[in-house]
Each structure stands twice: as C-alpha cells, then as structure tokens.
Amino acid sequence: MKPTRRAAVKPAGTAKVAPVKKATAKKATTKKATVKKAAAKATKPATKAATVQRARTVKSAKPESRLAMVRRARRINRELADVYSYAHPELDFRNPFELLVATVLSAQTTDLRVNQTTPALFSKYPTPEDMAAAVPEEMEEVIRPTGFFRAKTKSLLGLSAALRDDFGGEVPGRLEDLVKLPGVGRKTAFVVLGNAFGVPGITVDTHFGRLVRRWKWTEQEDPEKVEAEIAAIFPKSEWTMLSHRVIFHGRRICHARKPACGACPITHLCPSYGEGETDPEKAKKLLKYEMGGQPGQRLNPPADYPGRPAPPLGAA
C-alpha cells in the first residue's frame, strides 16, 4: 500500500495574512529629477553598433510620402514635449512691453545677453512714455552689450513713441498692429502674441528654420514660407509651444555646426541623423544649458525650469 500523505497542520492561532500593498504616493517633481529624466532621454543610441545600424537605416530609407512626413513631424513634436516639458520663452519679462522690447533687442545676439542687459534698461525706462522720452546717447550706453545698439535704440524710441501716441501706452494684441511698429517683424510679433496674449503663432528664428529643414518638414528658406508650410502640418493650438520646443532642441542638442546626434532623443525620427557627432559619449559633451549641466539663459526662469538661473551681467 502507498503511504497516505498527511495534510500539513497549521499552528493553532495563526491566520493567513494578505500581503499589504504599499501605497503609491505621487512623487514630487524636483529640478534634479527633471534634469536626469531629460538627460536620460538624450543618450540614445547607447552603443556604436546602434549608431552604425541607424546610419544604414537612414541611407536605405525610401522616399517619404506627405502623410508619412506629417505623422513623423507630429510624433517629433509629441516626443519633444516630453523631453522639454518645461519649454518657455527664454527672455525675462514681466509684461507685454518688456517682452516686446526684449525681443527687439534679441536680434543678432543671445537671449542671455539680452536678459543681462534689460534689468538696467527697464529700471531706467519702465514704460513706453519713459522710453520714448529717453536721450538716445544714454539709451545706447545701456543696451550697448546687445550689439547694433544705435539701430536698436532708434527702433526702441520709435516703437515706444508709437505705443504712447497711437495705442494709449499699451502693446496691441493684434498682428497687423504690431508689425507696424518700428523694428517689429512677424517673428517678434508672434513671440509677443504667443507669450503675452495667448494668441497662437509660429516663431521662425534661425534655430527653428534650421531644424525644420533638417527634419524635412520643408525646404523653404524664406521665414514666411516656412511659417506657412509648418502651420499646415500642425493644429493652431500647438503653434506657440511647438516653436518653444524646436528652439529649445536647437539650442541644446541640434546645433548648427556640430549637432549632438549621439545624445539626441529623436534620432529614430530624424532623416538627417549623422550630420553631427554620433558617438554617445562625445555627443554628451556637446550638450548646452541645463542638458549639459550649465546655467540657462534667463536670470529669472519659470519655477519649473530644471536648470540653474543665468548669472547677471559682469558676474564671475
């Protein structure tokens, strides 16, 4: 006879205890964690084998249909929205007038240099009325660090006088009015409309134009034609934030002379992959601003900016 198995007897007084599920508390977003997350997304491909395979794939790619391009463009926008969830205008301003002046000053210089210059400018000329009455030579000295200071002084005096005389000292919220102001073109107008008035617009600066051509969204060189073709790809509600994301990417990773391809989070969507440094470790060294562990361009960045504020003018 086979021996019978006896059921294991549980010790008296013991009861089966259900495993306790740990409560998942919502993690607080910190600047350090955001930077690490963004940096982690900016490290693919991680191996040389992956870069070689990626290069082969790009070279063997078939001609892309219009529909496929639009889908790829919108996917790039979605992925950049994840990487640059904190994207914002990189000019310090407290009101539409300050943003308008700062944007005019940003021509042919960096936003950083403008941000380092405008505190003294707005302290001396806080309103359009004050600025319109400025002594040209005195204003020139204040904005000299931004370059082309004589031409910019002329524009600022002219637009301030126009705001005072034609708009009651207020910045207008319409494109057709803004572009009539001295020194204000469509790019400047859309920066002001999108970030001071919430009116959607596409800002075609040098970074934006360079990247949309690299991504094969357009072949146009003229800013207005670029604007029109990109506007046809994306819904109007995305225009302003799309501009910020593309410009952020151009300043931090997809540089003009040497793109950091090996540290780019959207290489799988980029038809120009390989134009820059593809080695992941070498590419990481090319990253700028918060991506590279360096200060940003704003002295007073938004609360959710994960990097360090820029230093004031003349700071070590």
Side-chain angles (χ1 to χ4, degrees):
M1 293 178 62
K2 294 183 180 179
T4 58
R5 294 182 180 178
R6 301 179 66 181
V9 179
K10 296 182 180 178
T14 60
K16 186 175 181 182
V17 180
V20 179
K21 293 184 179 180
K22 296 182 179 179
T24 56
K26 186 177 181 180
K27 297 181 180 178
T29 304
T30 63
K31 290 184 177 182
K32 188 174 181 181
T34 306
V35 171
K36 285 185 177 180
K37 180 182 177 182
K41 289 178 176 292
T43 56
K44 297 180 180 180
T47 65
K48 289 187 177 180
T51 64
V52 172
Q53 180 58 40
R54 171 63 186 148
R56 289 174 179 170
T57 302
V58 171
K59 288 182 180 179
S60 61
K62 295 179 180 180
E64 187 176 42
S65 68
R66 165 75 181 180
L67 178 60
M69 182 275 288
V70 170
R71 288 175 174 171
R72 179 172 58 83
R74 293 182 176 182
R75 185 176 173 188
I76 287 176
N77 182 43
R78 291 195 299 271
E79 297 203 9
L80 290 182
D82 188 30
V83 176
Y84 304 111
S85 58
Y86 51 89
H88 59 271
E90 294 194 90
L91 290 168
D92 286 328
F93 69 98
R94 295 169 296 186
N95 53 59
F97 175 63
E98 290 190 356
L99 179 57
L100 175 61
V101 170
T103 308
V104 170
L105 289 176
S106 69
Q108 304 298 315
T109 191
T110 64
D111 286 357
L112 170 59
R113 184 48 57 91
V114 173
N115 292 333
Q116 292 174 325
T117 303
T118 50
L121 180 69
F122 295 138
S123 176
K124 194 174 181 69
Y125 313 112
T127 68
E129 291 80 4
D130 295 322
M131 190 168 286
V135 176
E137 292 75 16
E138 292 180 3
M139 183 182 288
E140 287 175 4
E141 286 305 308
V142 176
I143 68 171
R144 182 183 289 268
T146 67
F148 301 94
F149 55 90
R150 290 192 179 88
K152 290 179 181 179
T153 294
K154 185 177 180 181
S155 293
L156 294 184
L157 290 173
L159 72 84
S160 297
L163 292 178
R164 179 195 62 195
D165 299 339
D166 302 332
F167 299 99
E170 299 292 333
V171 176
R174 300 194 312 164
L175 176 65
E176 53 267 40
D177 292 330
L178 284 169
V179 295
K180 292 177 182 177
L181 298 173
V184 179
R186 290 179 69 87
K187 184 188 79 171
T188 296
F190 281 131
V191 170
V192 174
L193 290 172
N195 298 288
F197 294 100
V199 178
I202 294 175
T203 304
V204 184
D205 70 351
T206 55
H207 301 287
F208 190 94
R210 178 178 75 252
L211 267 62
V212 297
R213 284 186 288 272
R214 276 183 178 166
W215 293 334
K216 311 302 182 186
W217 295 359
T218 181
E219 294 181 353
Q220 299 293 339
E221 296 283 344
D222 179 79
E224 288 196 33
K225 293 180 179 179
V226 171
E227 176 194 324
E229 291 201 359
I230 303 307
I233 297 174
F234 297 93
K236 195 172 184 178
S237 60
E238 285 290 308
W239 290 355
T240 299
M241 287 309 301
L242 169 72
S243 300
H244 289 323
R245 294 164 192 151
V246 174
I247 293 170
F248 257 60
H249 193 62
R251 286 174 171 169
R252 287 150 177 78
I253 297 178
C254 196
H255 311 134
R257 295 183 181 178
K258 199 170 185 180
C261 293
C264 178
I266 57 167
T267 55
H268 55 295
L269 298 169
C270 181
S272 298
Y273 172 81
E275 285 188 9
E277 179 58 67
T278 58
D279 181 87
E281 294 305 317
K282 291 180 180 179
K284 283 183 186 179
K285 296 178 182 178
L286 301 175
L287 301 180
K288 294 183 179 179
Y289 303 111
E290 76 282 354
M291 287 292 189
Q294 303 149 2
Q297 298 198 80
R298 292 187 68 167
L299 277 65
N300 298 294
D304 62 345
Y305 179 65
R308 290 178 286 155
L313 190 66

